[in-house]
C-alpha cells in the first residue's frame, strides 16, 4: 500500500482490505477511494516508505528491497513507454490473473483444501486466496515476495499431474532475520539442518514424508551450480561425509542437496523449498498457533523451550524453540528431535486443513503473506500461478494417509565416540523402494486394496518347469548390455534355456514388466519367481512369436532393473523397526 495514500503500509493488515459484500455474499478487495497509487503493499526501501523507481527490481536475500509507486493499471493493459512491465524478481506475470477486483469467497466449505494451496513439511504453509478471484495487484505483490534459486538441472523439470510428486524441504541453521542472533551456528553458511522428502502418490490418495538425519554419513556427488553471472561451476563431491554438508558448505546450493537425495534414495526430486528460522515463527503465528502435547515438563536452555507437561498452543519464538529442542526429549539427540518435529508438523497440517483456518479470510491472507516471504523455492515454481497448481495437487490427500517416517539408521561403527549414523540395511533400502514404487505406508482407499489383491493373485498358482519357459528379453531403459546379461544368467544358472535376446524396446519403461497370454500364466509365475518380480510387474495380455515361430512371453527390463539375479520385488509392508507416525494422530512428546 502506498504510504501516502492510506498511511504507512506496515500498519495495515492486508486482511482488512477484504470486506464481505452483503448483496453478493462474496468477499471483495476494497481499495482506497483515492487510490491513484498502487494500493497493495509492495517491496520497501530502507526508509520503510515506497521507493519510486522505474521497474524497481528486488535484490537477493540480505539486500535491501526496492519498489515503485506508480498509477494503478488495468490488468492486461500495456505499460507506458519506457516502463518495465513488472517489478518482480522474475519476468512474467500469472497468465490467469483476475481481470477485476471482486473475487470469490477465499475458501468455501465444499471446496475444502482444493481452492487453496496448503502444504507444510517443516518449511511450507503457503496459502493462495481463491482460484482466480484475488486482485491483479495482489498477485503481483505476492509474486514480489517470492525468492527463487535455480535447480541446476538436478530436478525433473517440474511436477506433473499424471505421476507421483517428490518435493525436497530443507530447514537451514543459517542466522537471518531480526531476533535470530541466538540461534544456530554463528558463522554457518546454512547447513541442511532439517531435511524432509515429501512423496505424494500418483493417485493423490496418500503421502509420505521421509526425514533424513542431518548426521547421516553419505556421499555428496559433484554439483554443477549456476553462478550469479550465469556461468556454471562444478563443486566437487565429497565421500563419506555428513548429509547436512550438502548445503551451504563450499558454496553448495539446494540443487546439490537434491542430487545427494537422489543418489541416496533413488528418488528424483521435482522441486525444493528452503526456509530458515523465521519460517517457523511467521507461519505458526499466521495460522493462529499449533497445538502440541508434552508428556513431561521441558526446560531446555539451549533451545529456550520452557513448557510444563500437558497440551499447549504455540507460535512464533515458542514454536521455533519447540522444533529445535532435542536435549530434553527422548534420548537427547537429533533422532529424538526428528520425532518431535514430525508430531509438530502433523499438528500443523491438521490446523491448516481445519475449518477454523479455511473459512477465515484474515488467516488465509496472513498465510499467503508469510508463506511467500518465508521461503526460497526452485525457479520452476517461482510464481503464484505455479505454486497454486502445485498446491492443488498437494491438498488432495487426507491427513490420515500422510505418514512421517525416519530413514532407518544405526550408530556409525567406525566411531568410538558416537556422533554420526549410517544407513541400517536392508531396512533403509526396503523403505526407499516402497516410496519409489509408490507404495503407501498406510492403508488407503478400498480401490487400492482391490488392486493390490489382484496383483498378489497373479503370483498364486502352479509354476511351469524352468525348461518350459519361453521368453523374449527386451532392454527398455536398463543399462546397456542388461538384456544379454539376463539371457546368459537365465540360461546358464536358472535353466531357462528357451529364452532369447530381442534387442531394445520401442519405448523406455520406468519399471520392468512381464507380458504374457492367459495360457502362459504358469510360465509367468515361474519366471516371476526366478527374477524376483512382483505381481505389479506381471501384465496379462498376449503372447508374441519368438525367432523360432513359437509363442513366447515378453520380459522388458525397465530403468529399475539393477542386474541379473537382483530381485525386483517391492516390499509390501514397512520394516517393523522403522519409526513412523501418521498426521491425523495426536501424540505427546516424551
Amino acid at each position: 500500500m502506498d504510504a501516502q495514500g492510506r498511511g504507512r503500509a506496515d500498519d495495515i493488515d492486508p486482511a482488512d482490505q477484504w470486506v464481505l459484500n452483503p448483496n453478493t455474499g462474496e468477499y471483495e478487495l476494497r481499495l482506497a477511494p483515492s487510490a491513484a497509487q498502487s494500493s497493495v503493499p509492495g517491496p520497501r526501501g530502507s526508509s520503510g516508505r515506497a521507493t519510486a523507481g522505474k521497474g524497481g527490481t528486488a535484490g537477493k536475500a540480505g539486500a535491501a528491497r526496492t519498489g515503485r509507486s506508480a498509477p494503478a493499471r488495468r490488468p492486461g493493459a500495456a505499460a507506458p513507454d519506457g516502463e518495465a512491465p513488472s517489478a518482480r524478481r522474475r519476468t512474467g506475470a500469472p497468465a490467469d490473473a483476475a481481470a477485476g477486483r471482486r473475487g470469490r469467497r477465499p475458501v468455501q466449505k465444499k471446496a475444502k483444501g482444493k481452492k487453496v494451496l496448503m502444504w507444510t513439511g517443516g518449511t511450507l504453509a503457503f496459502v493462495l486466496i481463491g482460484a482466480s478471484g484475488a486482485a491483479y495487484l495482489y498477485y503481483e505483490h505476492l509474486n514480489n515476495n517470492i525468492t527463487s534459486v535455480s535447480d541446476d538441472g538436478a530436478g525433473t523439470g517440474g511436477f506433473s499431474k499424471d505421476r507421483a510428486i517428490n518435493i525436497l524441504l530443507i530447514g537451514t541453521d543459517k542466522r537471518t532475520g531480526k531476533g535470530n542472533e541466538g540461534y544456530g551456528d554463528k558463522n554457518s553458511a546454512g547447513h541442511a539442518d532439517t531435511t524432509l522428502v515429501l512423496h505424494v502418490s500418483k493417485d493423490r490418495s496418500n503421502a509420505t514424508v521421509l526425514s533424513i538425519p542431518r548426521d547421516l554419513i553419505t556421499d555428496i556427488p559433484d554439483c554443477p551450480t549456476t553462478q550469479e553471472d550465469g556461468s556454471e561451476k562444478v563443486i566437487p563431491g565429497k565421500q563419506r561425509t555428513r548429509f547436512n554438508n550438502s548445503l551451504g558448505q563450499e558454496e553448495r546450493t539446494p540443487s546439490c542437496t537434491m542430487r545427494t537425495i537422489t543418489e541416496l534414495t533413488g528418488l528424483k526430486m521435482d522441486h525444493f523449498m528452503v526456509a530458515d528460522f523465521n519460517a517457523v515463527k511467521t507461519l505458526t503465528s499466521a495460522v493462529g498457533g499449533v497445538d502440541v502435547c508434552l508428556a513431561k515438563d521441558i526446560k531446555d536452555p539451549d533451545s529456550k523451550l520452557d513448557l510444563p507437561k500437558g497440551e499447549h498452543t504455540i507460535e512464533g519464538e515458542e514454536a521455533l524453540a519447540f522444533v529445535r529442542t532435542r536435549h530434553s526429549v527422548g534420548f537427547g539427540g537429533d533422532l529424538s528431535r526428528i520425532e518431535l518435529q514430525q508430531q509438530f508438523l502433523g499438528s500443523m497440517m491438521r490446523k491448516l486443513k481445519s475449518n477454523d483456518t479455511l473459512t477465515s479470510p484474515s488467516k488465509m491472507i496472513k498465510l499467503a503473506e508469510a508463506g511467500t516471504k518465508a521461503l526460497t523455492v526452485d525457479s520452476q515454481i517461482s510464481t503464484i500461478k505455479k505454486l497454486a497448481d502445485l498446491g492443488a495437487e498437494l491438498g488432495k490427500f487426507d491427513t490420515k494417509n500422510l505418514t512421517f517416517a525416519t530413514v532407518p539408521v544405526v550408530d556409525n561403527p567406525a566411531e568410538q565416540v558416537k556422533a554420526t549414523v549410517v544407513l541400517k540395511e536392508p531396512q533403509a533400502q526396503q523403505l526407499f523402494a516402497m516410496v519409489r514404487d509408490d507404495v503407501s505406508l498406510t492403508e488407503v482407499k478400498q480401490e487400492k486394496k482391490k488392486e493390490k489383491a489382484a496383483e498378489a493373485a497373479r503370483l498364486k498358482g502352479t509354476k511351469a518347469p524352468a525348461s518350459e519357459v519361453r521368453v523374449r528379453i527386451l532392454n527398455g531403459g536398463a543399462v546397456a548390455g542388461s538384456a544379454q546379461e539376463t539371457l546368459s544368467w537365465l540360461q546358464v544358472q536358472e535353466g531357462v534355456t528357451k529364452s532369447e535376446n530381442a534387442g531394445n524396446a520401442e519405448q523406455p519403461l520406468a519399471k520392468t514388466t512381464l507380458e504374457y497370454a492367459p495360457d502362459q500364466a504358469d510360465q509367468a509365475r515361474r519366471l516371476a519367481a526366478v527374477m524376483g518380480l512382483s505381481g505389479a510387474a506381471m501384465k496379462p495380455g498376449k503372447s508374441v512369436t519368438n525367432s523360432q515361430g513359437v509363442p513366447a512371453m515378453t520380459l522388458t527390463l525397465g530403468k529399475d532393473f539393477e542386474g541379473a539375479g537382483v530381485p525386483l520385488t517391492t516390499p509390501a509392508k514397512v520394516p517393523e523397526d522403522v519409526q513412523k507416525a501418521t498426521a491425523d494422530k495426536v501424540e505427546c512428546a516424551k
Side-chain angles (χ1 to χ4, degrees):
M1 177 171 300
D2 182 73
Q4 299 175 7
R6 292 176 63 186
R8 285 181 55 84
D10 297 356
D11 299 328
I12 298 176
D13 187 340
D16 294 336
Q17 296 177 267
W18 289 89
V19 181
L20 179 67
N21 186 332
N23 296 322
T24 64
E26 297 180 326
Y27 281 88
E28 299 178 358
L29 183 63
R30 295 289 177 83
L31 307 180
S34 59
Q37 305 289 338
S38 169
S39 62
V40 176
R44 298 267 163 195
S46 58
S47 66
R49 298 176 62 87
T51 305
K54 185 186 297 184
T57 56
K60 299 293 182 181
R65 296 180 176 179
T66 61
R68 66 181 180 191
S69 180
R73 295 196 302 274
R74 290 180 296 102
D81 291 343
E83 180 178 334
S86 173
R88 298 190 345 221
R89 296 181 191 177
R90 302 147 316 283
T91 59
D96 65 345
R101 291 177 178 171
R102 199 182 80 176
R104 301 176 192 157
R105 186 186 302 272
V107 176
Q108 299 184 23
K109 291 183 179 180
K110 65 179 181 180
K112 188 177 180 181
K114 293 186 178 180
K115 294 288 185 181
V116 292
L117 174 57
M118 303 179 307
W119 185 85
T120 183
T123 59
L124 177 64
F126 167 82
V127 178
L128 179 67
I129 307 158
S132 61
Y136 172 75
L137 293 177
Y138 197 69
Y139 270 103
E140 288 294 284
H141 165 62
L142 292 179
N143 275 326
N144 282 335
N145 286 345
I146 301 171
T147 299
S148 65
V149 179
S150 174
D151 69 357
D152 299 314
T156 62
F159 77 96
S160 175
K161 294 182 179 181
D162 59 356
R163 57 178 170 80
I165 298 174
N166 294 312
I167 307 224
L168 172 64
L169 302 145
I170 308 172
T172 76
D173 57 0
K174 186 176 182 178
R175 291 183 179 181
T176 56
K178 183 179 179 181
N180 293 324
E181 296 83 1
Y183 298 116
D185 297 331
K186 182 176 182 181
N187 299 314
S188 174
H191 299 79
D193 195 52
T194 297
T195 303
L196 306 161
V197 175
L198 170 66
H199 172 87
V200 182
S201 66
K202 180 180 178 179
D203 65 3
R204 308 296 187 255
S205 67
N206 65 92
T208 300
V209 175
L210 288 181
S211 293
I212 313 294
R214 65 177 188 178
D215 296 324
L216 173 66
I217 295 298
T218 189
D219 295 336
I220 299 174
D222 292 344
C223 301
T225 307
T226 303
Q227 303 299 296
E228 289 188 6
D229 61 1
S231 63
E232 183 181 280
K233 174 183 177 182
V234 177
I235 300 175
K238 193 170 185 179
Q239 306 297 305
R240 307 297 296 166
T241 186
R242 275 183 168 90
F243 175 86
N244 67 350
N245 289 326
S246 65
L247 178 67
Q249 308 309 297
E250 300 178 40
E251 300 183 338
R252 294 189 179 97
T253 66
S255 66
C256 191
T257 307
M258 289 181 90
R259 296 182 195 278
T260 305
I261 286 288
T262 298
E263 186 156 304
L264 175 69
T265 67
L267 289 164
K268 186 85 168 180
M269 297 294 102
D270 294 302
H271 301 289
F272 67 72
M273 299 176 183
V274 184
D276 57 22
F277 296 133
N278 277 326
V280 175
K281 294 195 292 186
T282 59
L283 294 174
T284 53
S285 294
V287 79
V290 174
D291 300 327
V292 297
C293 180
L294 297 179
K296 63 180 182 180
D297 297 344
I298 292 183
K299 189 168 185 177
D300 185 352
D302 292 326
S303 71
K304 303 180 178 64
L305 180 65
D306 187 357
L307 284 176
K309 174 183 177 181
E311 298 180 356
H312 306 274
T313 300
I314 58 176
E315 63 178 274
E317 292 283 351
E318 199 166 46
L320 177 59
F322 184 88
V323 298
R324 292 190 69 250
T325 192
R326 55 173 174 157
H327 299 303
S328 301
V329 293
F331 295 104
D334 187 52
L335 297 181
S336 297
R337 183 178 67 162
I338 286 175
E339 290 187 40
L340 192 76
Q341 290 173 345
Q342 290 173 348
Q343 295 168 19
F344 176 85
L345 296 175
S347 178
M348 191 165 189
M349 282 296 297
R350 294 192 297 273
K351 188 64 174 287
L352 283 169
K353 292 205 172 195
S354 68
N355 285 335
D356 180 55
T357 300
L358 297 179
T359 58
S360 170
S362 62
K363 286 185 179 180
M364 301 290 280
I365 294 175
K366 288 177 181 178
L367 281 167
E369 291 286 336
T372 50
K373 290 177 181 177
L375 304 169
T376 296
V377 301
D378 67 87
S379 53
Q380 304 289 344
I381 49 171
S382 59
T383 67
I384 296 300
K385 175 64 170 63
K386 292 178 180 178
L387 282 170
D389 288 343
L390 176 60
E393 298 303 306
L394 301 183
K396 290 180 179 179
F397 60 84
D398 194 305
T399 52
K400 70 180 181 181
N401 292 326
L402 170 61
T403 307
F404 294 97
T406 303
V407 172
V409 294
V410 294
D411 288 334
N412 189 348
E415 296 176 333
Q416 289 188 352
V417 178
K418 304 304 180 184
T420 62
V421 294
V422 296
L423 291 179
K424 183 176 184 179
E425 305 292 12
Q427 289 88 339
Q429 297 307 323
Q430 292 172 351
L431 181 59
F432 296 155
M434 291 184 71
V435 179
R436 285 197 306 268
D437 291 343
D438 213 15
V439 177
S440 175
L441 273 59
T442 57
E443 292 293 335
V444 290
K445 296 184 297 186
Q446 190 66 29
E447 293 81 1
K448 201 171 187 71
K449 292 182 181 179
K450 292 180 180 178
E451 180 183 344
K452 294 296 181 184
E455 292 173 355
R458 295 170 196 162
L459 298 171
K460 297 178 181 178
T462 59
K463 300 180 179 67
S467 59
E468 294 182 8
V469 174
R470 289 187 175 87
V471 61
R472 297 168 68 250
I473 305 169
L474 296 173
N475 190 328
V479 298
S482 293
Q484 186 58 43
E485 177 193 2
T486 302
L487 175 67
S488 300
W489 174 73
L490 286 175
Q491 291 184 340
V492 175
Q493 297 190 40
E494 300 298 330
V496 184
T497 55
K498 296 177 182 178
S499 52
E500 64 182 34
N501 182 351
N504 293 325
E506 293 182 3
Q507 298 291 334
L509 298 177
K511 299 182 183 299
T512 298
T513 63
L514 174 62
E515 185 176 4
Y516 58 95
D519 61 352
Q520 297 172 318
D522 57 344
Q523 294 184 46
R525 286 190 285 268
R526 172 59 64 191
L527 188 59
V530 170
M531 295 285 298
L533 299 177
S534 66
M538 300 176 68
K539 306 296 181 184
K542 59 182 181 180
S543 64
V544 295
T545 302
N546 63 13
S547 59
Q548 282 77 44
V550 180
M553 301 181 296
T554 300
L555 174 67
T556 305
L557 306 178
K559 295 179 180 179
D560 62 338
F561 182 76
E562 298 181 357
V566 180
L568 291 169
T569 304
T570 302
K573 295 183 179 180
V574 183
E576 291 185 0
D577 51 357
V578 172
Q579 179 275 322
K580 69 184 183 75
T582 54
D584 64 320
K585 295 180 180 179
V586 179
E587 297 187 30
C588 294
K590 300 177 180 179

